[in-house]
Amino acid sequence: MTSSAMTATQAGEFRAAGTDLSERRRSGVSTGPVIDISAAPDTIGMHWDADESLRIGAFTTIAAIAADARIAAAYPGIAASAQGLATPQIRHLATLGGNLAQRSRCWYFRNPHIACLKKGGSDCPARSGNHLYHVAFDLGPCVAPHPSTMAAALLAYEAKVTTDRRSSLTIGDLLGDGSNGSADNALQPGEMIRSIELAPPLHGERALYKRAISRTYAEWPLVELCARAVIKDGTFQFVRLAAGGIAPVPLRLAAAEAALQGKPANVAAIAVVAERATSGAKPLPMTGYKLDLLKGVVQDLLERMTAS
Amino acid sequence: MSTMTINGKLAPLPDDPDALLVDVVRDALGLTGTKLVCGAGVCGACTVLVDGEPAVSCLMPARSAANTNVTTVEGIGAARLHPVQKAFMAHDALQCGFCTPGFIVEAAAFHDSWRAAKGTAVPSREEIGAALSGHLCRCGAYDGIFRAVADACAGRFDGNDIPPPRMEARDKVTGSAKYTVDIHHDGQLEGVILRSPFAHARISELDLAPARAMPGVNAAISLLGDDRIVRYVGEPIAAVAARDRKTALAAIAAIKLGSERLPSAIGLDEARKADAPVVFEKSARKRAGNVSEGGGSPAPWKGNIRGPSAAFSKKPKKVRSWVDGARAANNPLLVEGTFRTGTQQHACLEPHAAVARFDGDRLTVHVSTQAVFHLMELIAKRYKLGHDKVRVIADHVGGGFGSKAALGVETTTAIELAREAGAPVRVAYDRHEELSVTGYRPATEVKIALLPSEQGELKALSLTAYADTGAATNSTIAALARLIYPAEAKELADFDVISNLPAGAPFRGPGGPPMAFALEQAIDEAALRMNIDPIALRKRWDPDPNRQRLYDWASSLEVWRNRKPIAAQSGRYRRGVGVATGYWLYLWQPGSKVEVAVKGGRLIASTATQDIGTGTRTVIANTVAREFGLEPHEIEVRIGDSNLPEGPGSGGSRVTASVIPPMLLAIEQLKAAIQQHAKRQPVPGSNAPWREWLAASPDLSATSVRPEDSRQMAPGVQSPLKQAGFMGMIFGWMMRRFSNLAIGAGVPSSVQVIEVEVDTWLGHVRVLNVHTGIAVGRIAAPALARSQAAGAVIQGIGYALYEAREVDSRTGDVLSGGMEDYRIPGIADTPVIDVHFDQGGFDHVLGGSVGIGEVATVPTSPAVANAILNATGVRLTELPIRPDRLVAALKGRAAA
């Protein structure tokens, strides 16, 4: 569910907790060398600055983020996302960096006997095959949705990423725009994520997270959304909506965000704006339902924010 | 070399970077309580504590356990049982037990931190559900798990042990119960199967030499049939046995294959096309598998379509003309529809596995099987060995559900590899194998027409079923509609659609759930159109005495009486209540024997049956204990070994009805013998006379064979086959002659009333509560029967809402080969379940009890669908009712 390989290199794959990589090694999808990496004091844990901004070490476990009271207060969307992904036993092991750099969960990619773009193949078998759980925003040759829940949450917070080579990368810089079907991120060979930086929260902002799934827990999201908003004087003053499960990379729902700006924070306005959430969508033959679910989660979170 | 501390002892860790903690724990340290199931962190069976925190050992590199403190299930209750273990035992929060160690480890950690923070406050269902969301139980023991965790947290199990209702519960909660995958002989090799990457091909070349030449490889064999054709992705081609799995995998990768690809047809739609490539040519038809519990009858076979099997029809031409007439006349009471169901995998948590070992000319095979005795016969026949030379053992079986009733490839491969290697060999399927090639409940397309008469009776019923059986035949779906809701005329036709997919297999009430999904929705629709209460209509149309009583119970339920009119709500969340009926045949196995003995004053009951989590040990112990006025735990039960007196297979819900009657006869004989040998009588007025007799008794034993049932039956009870006339009698005779199964009188029945909440925005269905009324006669082990009933509902909810095998329709690859993509219900998906047993109806069976396993799961999916209709006004005709289907259906209505 979350994972391990912080990035693939020619020399081998990085392994932090291994919750993604171990499954791929058992199945035979990953066969090259493994480079075990471990935390340094500055790459693990929460580091708060005097201005209330936060740096989270890449080796911090998802469970630690989920359980941190200060994160829950300042960045409730991050906390809720961490609480909502995978299972408790995985969250105890899996790291934030590994979650961001995990490989696709596509059932073609995970089958060692099937070629695909992410395994050096020349086309995407899901596109013309069974893509029930795949993208509804068709942005590149590979149609697998990006698996990182934390990436969507961090996108909503406009977080910055520091690697061992670069700093101030956006989530977009880190994961790319979905046009490179062979990769799950835009890290350079051998480049390792070290930490994530979050700006201080806005005054009065609220945030929520929701994933639409068929069961109650422990399922890859059909659609997931991290929403932040500042509601003042009965209107939306600030909105960030970042969705996962729908595209090769987590997506900001820019059209819906713009449409909400300055609008009254009530059910009627939200219902109208939810329709804009699917702006730019290009569903595949089997994924049109994800657009209904996307509207549903947008409406759900925005209504709950106005109610709270 | 690095080390960890495990259960208080120092243990070395391997240098191999790919070694995972679960492998070290199970294989190197022999702590087999920790189970490997999904290998992907989804199911939680491998959970251990690492420095006190639950962790998935199947994904944790062994290296990263260096300098940590690891606790396995063996370490949880090492000194004395943990309160959670006692609570699981007392609440019967387990069935097959394979997931239990993982649940225990997680629940113990949750309990300890809860108690530390909150004392004896009681956690809510939501809190327990979230804490255990990383664990899956295929038997569906969640109902008991909720109660166990809540009570343990409340401090109710801090004291002494209580004898558990399930005989082997202690072994299962401590991890000491040994399953086939846990067997390890000295010098044991690991067998791995090379499987076809093609949906259809002729294997022109198979060179095993490169595999045999590899160091550490002891045997390599071909598994090809003499036509050398593979008919689905995953069909076995060859196998190797090597010193470990890694070496075996490298060896099968070295095998040289030459193949000639053949055109393939995948699934119902492709295989039905007129020009579809034919999967089984006439000469090869006997290679097809069987999806039913009994043998098949002859049927026409054209291309990939086998059928119609229509022997259970009654005046079919009349049905056609009446239905055509009603359609032409726009008769509003004519209900017609097409219903589709998904392919349901058994998804046993213990994979199909066998460990074979030759000692001279004697063969011992541990097998994860539902039929130790029958398997011994089949192995002896196949390998031309005497029955006394073959021994099949299955102490504990981690789920079967119908998929482990036959002699499987895992078993024959282990035997053949062991013979060639001259060493014991284990073959244990990995999760992808388990979720692709071990059988499944076939997907179906069922066309139904139901016509009430002007007087409000059922006039005509037509069902035509197409089953997506893959490389198998013999589905019986439509035919099952003969034995319920009598009508003037019935047209019932079954077709198998054979294609280049793995073979289907019997699965808990084969054919029952898809038949009920169509029929029970059609009945519901008829009630709606006739403006009659759906239970009242069933009561009118279904005269079976067992179900008549269940209908009375169901219609008195508060949730039923308070239900709202259809689609009365308009908000985001809408609630609805639905009802459905199910039945299954009462089957028993002729020739079943039970020996009851007294040895050293202790009672021992023996029969070569097995307990796959259904509670057979306990049924036997309870029965013996009751007859002697003792406690069940005082009885020793010997099962799971083919050397014992011939016992029944655990399929067709037959075990209880096969073992109790001969056991009661044996007990009667034994009692007479004990009294005869008694030198003195018990103290007059003794409240435990048998305790005294037994204590003084010499060693004696008595064995009896399953007697025929009494012909004295309660009014209205009859053989269901009588309803089906002459063909029914023929069918009954064939089942007995060729499948060694007798179809008894009286019909095990189930009626379920289910309440759901539909989230119309996110297409999510939450089952809130289920009332399941079951008539299977006298309940021999009440706590365990309740577990079975609740588990059957949970599996039915999986079938209704979540579960579907997914394939690539071009290549035939199974895509849902992992537990992330094959979605079984979790604990938080479990509704509140009310189980009602109606204990009559089977007085003609000695002991009065018949089996429960299958009937209890039949009505769940249509009851859920009927409840969704009640909530939303939309009828869902395709399973599983996933969010994608639900939002589309709701939209269709809004658009219309």
Side-chain angles (χ1 to χ4, degrees), chain A residues 15 17 19 22 25-26 36 89-90 92 108 125 128-130 133 213-217 219-220 289 292 300, chain B residues 17-18 20 39 47 53-54 58-59 61 63 106 134-135 572 764 806-808 810 820 824 829 884 891:
Chain A
R15 178 167 72 182
T19 57
S22 295
R25 297 203 59 91
R26 179 185 279 113
D36 280 313
Q89 309 98 290
I90 288 184
H92 280 136
Y108 289 95
S128 50
N130 186 330
Y133 298 120
I213 49 179
S214 61
R215 293 172 296 179
T216 309
Y217 289 115
E219 195 171 297
W220 292 97
Y289 72 94
D292 296 310
D300 177 37
Chain B
D18 278 327
L20 295 167
T47 301
E53 296 283 12
C58 77
L59 294 181
R63 278 181 177 180
E106 185 91 41
H135 293 263
R572 170 180 176 181
H764 186 262
E806 293 287 336
V807 302
D808 184 293
R810 303 158 302 179
E820 297 185 359
I824 69 171
D829 306 312
D884 56 310
K891 240 179 151 181

Side-chain angles (χ1 to χ4, degrees), chain A residues 109-127:
Chain A
F109 171 69
R110 294 263 159 181
N111 186 324
H113 305 297
I114 301 175
C116 85
L117 292 169
K118 287 184 162 47
K119 290 180 290 190
S122 58
D123 60 8
C124 170
R127 176 178 292 281

Side-chain angles (χ1 to χ4, degrees), chain B residues 199 264-271 499-501 807-812:
Chain B
S264 60
I266 310 294
L268 267 185
D269 295 332
E270 286 298 313
S499 80
N500 292 109
L501 286 169
V807 302
D808 184 293
S809 59
R810 303 158 302 179
T811 62

